[in-house]
Amino acid sequence: MSLTAGSAVARVHGHDRRHGHPKGVDVDVKPAVTAAPQVADVEKRGADEVFATIDGQLVSWINNWFGETSSTSTSTTTSTSAATSTSISTSTTVATTSTAEATSTASSTSTASSTSSTSSSNWADYPTDGDYTTSGFGAATTATTVGSLDWDYIGNVGNPWGSNIISVDEDVASGYKHVIRFENSNSKSWTVTLWNSYGPDGGLNGFWSPNSALTFSVAAGDVAYVAIDDNSQGGWGAAEGDDLTTNSYGEYASTWGEFDMSNAENDEYSGWDVSCIIAELAGLDIAGMQICNADGEKCSSITAGATEVVSAYTSADQGVTDLAQAQSAGPVRLVVNLGWS
């Protein structure tokens, strides 16, 4: 599966998964957590109890998110419960404020030295001294663990919520630690919405509409750059046109990309994957997407209609935990091809 709404990149759709360390690396630590679990096979029973198949197990929790915007309070307490003996999450307080799209563009003018032999203005370069800029980010929130499952880890969601995910210009991108380049080689514009796995109200619902840390359009033949702060777990949905499709429960149901950036609970490992679980379960069209590092390696991809799948998640992969790509501690440079075919 992919990131559904729980932990690092593999449980967001109702199933988080941890990104394993690369083969051949001798480490004695738990695999990297990627994004939160995606909520697959969701159904509503009773007033507020939501059931979902997460990593192949039926679990439930009390979902208080129905699309309302959050208040401006700086902390929210939520309680959830699992249908199994292990709770999906316990009562937790997450520092948040009203939902805000962090669309500010970083304005750092410092010139970073690069490990690359190319010009220092190359977006994929990065400071060799590890002194990354945080210009444009909001305050980082304190990480919290609310249970024993992968998706019970709440990393940095930004204060205000979503300010850990910002749009940046190409000429300053190399100064940030985690950068994603979105490329649109199609004939029409695409819309991209990014989120934290945990939403503005502190619940595991960041991927429910209208939650958005950042939404933007990428015109045909154009590119866009996004910087993500340390210890952030979340994902994005992308679709041709002006809007993202949602399923009957309000969950973003386009093809997803999922990320876990420098997870503090997992030796600063990062991870990413593509998932079409939600779109497939809703019987919707599956758009193509590919995510690779800037060297064109460690790729995760799904073509239109899921005719070809590489290290990515379809509904048949729910419960599988080793498909996502992982990277050891350090800067991350990813290239996302929208409408991959």
Side-chain angles (χ1 to χ4, degrees):
M1 53 188 273
S2 65
L3 301 185
T4 46
S7 72
V9 181
R11 314 206 174 217
V12 177
H13 309 69
H15 38 270
D16 264 316
R17 63 194 71 271
R18 294 179 177 270
H19 295 294
H21 295 291
K23 295 180 180 178
V25 179
D26 185 12
V27 290
D28 185 20
V29 294
K30 61 187 174 183
V33 177
T34 56
Q38 301 173 341
V39 177
D41 294 335
V42 177
E43 61 177 303
K44 200 111 182 270
R45 302 179 187 178
D48 299 312
E49 189 173 17
V50 175
F51 289 76
T53 302
I54 298 179
D55 285 345
Q57 293 184 327
L58 180 66
V59 296
S60 70
W61 68 93
I62 302 302
N63 179 35
N64 295 316
W65 176 254
F66 296 103
E68 302 89 343
T69 56
S70 61
S71 66
T72 57
S73 61
T74 58
S75 65
T76 304
T77 301
T78 60
S79 298
T80 58
S81 60
T84 60
S85 59
T86 304
S87 63
I88 284 189
S89 63
T90 57
S91 180
T92 179
T93 300
V94 181
T96 59
T97 58
S98 59
T99 303
E101 291 190 6
T103 56
S104 61
T105 300
S107 58
S108 173
T109 58
S110 61
T111 301
S113 58
S114 170
T115 59
S116 171
S117 59
T118 60
S119 169
S120 61
S121 63
N122 184 347
W123 74 274
D125 292 343
Y126 53 86
T128 56
D129 59 4
D131 186 15
Y132 308 104
T133 182
T134 58
S135 177
F137 289 132
T141 56
T142 301
T144 305
T145 300
V146 297
S148 60
L149 303 179
D150 283 351
W151 55 86
D152 289 332
Y153 179 71
I154 307 174
N156 175 22
V157 299
N159 189 0
W161 185 90
S163 60
N164 56 322
I165 302 171
I166 62 173
S167 174
V168 297
D169 289 335
E170 180 177 4
D171 60 354
V172 299
S174 62
Y176 290 85
K177 187 174 182 180
H178 316 101
V179 180
I180 304 176
R181 172 185 165 107
F182 290 87
E183 299 182 348
N184 179 9
S185 59
N186 304 285
S187 60
K188 297 182 179 180
S189 66
W190 280 60
T191 295
V192 178
T193 291
L194 293 100
W195 57 76
N196 291 302
S197 298
Y198 279 81
D201 65 351
L204 188 57
N205 50 35
F207 43 94
W208 254 273
S209 179
N211 285 336
S212 169
L214 178 65
T215 295
F216 56 88
S217 294
V218 186
D222 207 351
V223 299
Y225 296 86
V226 171
I228 301 176
D229 204 1
D230 270 342
N231 200 27
S232 298
Q233 296 81 39
W236 65 84
E240 187 177 87
D242 298 327
D243 299 299
L244 296 187
T245 299
T246 58
N247 61 17
S248 59
Y249 303 96
E251 184 180 14
Y252 292 120
S254 62
T255 299
W256 287 20
E258 302 178 297
F259 65 82
D260 185 20
M261 298 302 188
S262 294
N263 192 296
E265 191 187 46
N266 196 39
D267 283 359
E268 304 295 326
Y269 265 69
S270 296
W272 56 89
D273 66 52
V274 175
S275 172
C276 67
I277 291 178
I278 299 304
E280 189 174 6
L281 291 175
L284 301 172
D285 290 339
I286 297 172
M289 184 186 297
Q290 181 197 57
I291 308 172
C292 300
N293 64 20
D295 294 326
E297 301 171 344
K298 292 183 176 292
C299 296
S300 175
S301 65
I302 293 176
T303 58
T307 56
E308 294 184 20
V309 179
V310 177
S311 298
Y313 292 93
T314 69
S315 62
D317 301 310
Q318 296 183 75
V320 180
T321 60
D322 60 354
L323 295 179
Q325 298 290 357
Q327 175 185 305
S328 58
V332 175
R333 298 290 184 265
L334 299 180
V335 176
V336 177
N337 285 294
L338 302 172
W340 177 252
S341 60

